Each structure stands twice: as structure tokens, then as C-alpha cells.
Amino acid sequence: MEHDLSPATLARLRRPRSYPAVSVLTPTHRREPDNMQDRVRLRNVVAEAKKQLESDPAVTRERRADVVRQLDQALSEVDLTYAEDGLLIFAAPGEHEVWSLGRTVPERVILSDTYLTRNLVSANAADRPFWVLSVSADRATLWSGGAGRVAENHAGGFPLTRDLGENFDAERQEQIGDAPSMFRDERTRHFLREADTAMSAVLRDHPRPLYLTGEPAALSVLDEFGTIARGAVQ
């Protein structure tokens, strides 16, 4: 199920489609006992969408069969174990998407030549999404966060890793106070430069607040580069 609404994704979802573009909305629940009804309710609202397709004279038999198939595939992809407060299914000829929302939605079925995106936009705004980039000398991991959740994310090719080599002894460096020299090493700086460049690309495509975490020496190197560190919180 999708969570990440970037400007490019929103523009793609808003473009006109061949009729019918079906938007199915239903509220979901995070906890028992309320979530016990979610599966049945979801099946019922998808059945209502199929009923509207069947009764709409503007929908050809071929397109109806295609969209019904897309709805069935979308339904099979829903994992209510990780349900939030709302669910949104988009289905049109040849495509479907499932979005999990951190904000409740009314139960609705809309047939049009565009998808209904306003609930998606408002839920994304309420979620206040952010990025967390965690860096060390040999690993950079990216995390996507929002209201009440943080999960590892693989945008931009993350995680980035490198082999420090057999002769590297982090414990010995710490004992002799030589850890900062690791971050003066040109190979380490090159690795952190790659992480800086990759994160810059992620922020261009998915702009949101960024938090940087890691060893102070690693963060100091990113400060020197000045690209992502300029607007980030450390």
C-alpha cells in the first residue's frame, strides 16, 4: 500500500483517464475491536463499485471487465494488518493503486474521468511527513516518518554501504582516540559525498523536512558539503 505522496505522484494521479476512473474510499481502524469490521466493509464498498460499473450505460463491457479485474487485484493487495484511518483504491483501465491514509475518509464510490485526490492531499498534509538520514563511515540509511510512524525507505538507492576493509578496527580507534581520522580519510568523505548527492535527489523529488543523525564527525563532514545539511535538523 502506498504512503508517499510526492508532487510528481500527485500530478500523475490527477491527469485525466479513460472513463471510468474509479475512486473507492472507506474508513479503516488501527485497533481492535473496531478493525474487526474493516474487511467486510471494504469488500462491500468494492462490490458497490462493481455494481455501479454494471449499471452505467457509458461503460463498455470490455472496460467494465478490465476495471473489475483491477479492483479485484487491488483488493488482494490490501493488508489490513497495517491499516491506518482510511483506505483509498484507484482503479481505471489497465491500472490500480491502493493508498493507506492516516486520516479518516467517508465511505464513497466515485466514477469519473479523473481520480478523487483531495482526501489523499489532506491526509498527507495532516501526516506532516519527514525524512531521517542516518550516516556513519560505512552505512547511510533513509527513514520515512509521519504522524505516529517511522519506517526504512529505499528511495534514492538507500541504504548505501561500503566495506571498511579487513584492517579496520573501530574498537581500537575508539580506545586510542583516533576515530575522527576515519572521517578525514578520502574514501570516507567520498562515501558521505555520495550519500549527500543521493539525499539531495530524494529531496528534489519528495520535498519534506530532513533530520540528520549519526556520529558528530560524520555530521561535520556533511556540514562541510553544505548541500543537505543547510536546511536539515541535526
Side-chain angles (χ1 to χ4, degrees), residues 128-217:
R128 300 188 301 278
F130 59 87
W131 293 117
V132 179
L133 180 65
S134 179
V135 293
S136 67
D138 62 343
R139 187 173 179 86
T141 55
L142 179 63
W143 302 80
S144 176
R149 61 177 175 83
V150 178
E152 188 171 359
N153 190 283
H154 301 294
F158 286 100
L160 305 179
T161 61
R162 75 180 185 110
D163 186 1
L164 290 177
E166 296 181 0
N167 295 326
F168 177 74
D169 188 340
E171 185 176 349
R172 178 179 181 277
Q173 285 196 338
E174 183 177 351
Q175 290 174 348
I176 65 176
D178 196 37
S181 67
M182 182 199 324
F183 295 96
R184 291 194 292 268
D185 178 79
E186 191 56 39
R187 290 169 299 178
T188 302
R189 294 176 65 84
H190 179 74
F191 172 74
L192 292 175
R193 171 70 77 179
E194 289 181 340
D196 183 86
T197 300
M199 190 67 233
S200 296
V202 171
L203 288 171
R204 280 196 300 271
D205 293 337
H206 307 275
R208 56 171 80 170
L210 171 65
Y211 295 85
L212 293 175
T213 68
E215 299 172 70

Side-chain angles (χ1 to χ4, degrees), residues 37-100:
Q37 63 180 305
D38 288 349
R39 175 62 63 182
V40 173
R41 193 167 188 173
L42 176 59
R43 288 175 179 168
N44 288 343
V45 73
V46 170
E48 173 61 25
K50 294 179 181 179
K51 181 179 178 181
Q52 290 191 27
L53 288 168
E54 183 70 32
S55 62
D56 191 335
V59 181
T60 65
R61 179 181 299 179
E62 181 181 358
R63 285 189 177 176
R64 179 167 57 249
D66 188 344
V67 177
V68 166
R69 184 165 55 251
Q70 299 297 330
L71 287 170
D72 286 339
Q73 291 177 5
L75 190 60
S76 70
E77 295 170 8
V78 173
D79 186 354
L80 291 176
T81 305
Y82 304 103
E84 296 177 272
D85 302 307
L87 193 71
L88 181 53
I89 294 176
F90 295 135
E95 64 176 17
H96 67 273
E97 294 187 19
V98 180
W99 288 80
S100 178

